[in-house]
């Protein structure tokens, strides 16, 4: 699946998430998306594969957290 499509789905899902922390998660996804695009825009010899992998891992963790708790308030 295309990363941009995955990010769009995650952001839209988080907007619908009935959770006080949803905005915090959306902000984090947006920051990670920006960091990913900035890193990928660098020339190959300056790009850090480690940084790209870290960004993708963080996005995966956020996605899995959202999938496990859709529509639930974690404070319950």
């Amino acid at each position: 699946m295309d990363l941009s499509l995955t990010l769009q789905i995650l952001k839209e899902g988080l907007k619908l998430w009935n959770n006080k922390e949803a905005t915090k998660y959306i902000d984090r996804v947006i920051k990670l998306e920006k960091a990913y695009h900035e890193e990928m825009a660098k020339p190959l010899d300056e790009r850090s594969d480690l940084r790209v992998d870290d960004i993708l891992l963080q996005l995966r963790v956020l996605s899995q957290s959202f999938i496990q708790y859709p529509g639930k308030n974690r404070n319950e």
Side-chain angles (χ1 to χ4, degrees):
M1 183 181 277
D2 180 8
L3 180 63
S4 61
L5 177 59
T6 302
L7 289 170
Q8 178 113 14
I9 292 168
L10 180 58
K11 286 188 284 189
E12 291 303 315
L14 285 168
K15 287 177 187 175
L16 298 173
W17 196 17
N18 186 21
N19 186 311
K20 290 189 269 184
E21 298 178 357
T23 303
K24 179 175 75 170
Y25 285 99
I26 292 169
D27 291 344
R28 184 71 183 137
V29 169
I30 292 169
K31 284 181 182 178
L32 288 168
E33 180 180 21
K34 180 180 177 190
Y36 175 82
H37 289 297
E38 287 174 353
E39 196 65 37
M40 294 305 287
K42 293 179 181 178
L44 282 176
D45 60 335
E46 295 178 21
R47 187 181 306 162
S48 169
D49 290 337
L50 180 62
R51 178 72 178 130
V52 171
D53 288 345
D54 181 57
I55 292 167
L56 293 174
L57 176 63
Q58 289 182 57
L59 286 168
R60 180 180 293 254
V61 169
L62 284 170
S63 298
Q64 289 173 339
S65 296
F66 172 67
I67 289 167
Q68 289 179 358
Y69 301 102
K72 294 182 181 178
N73 186 334
R74 291 187 179 186
N75 295 325
E76 291 179 350

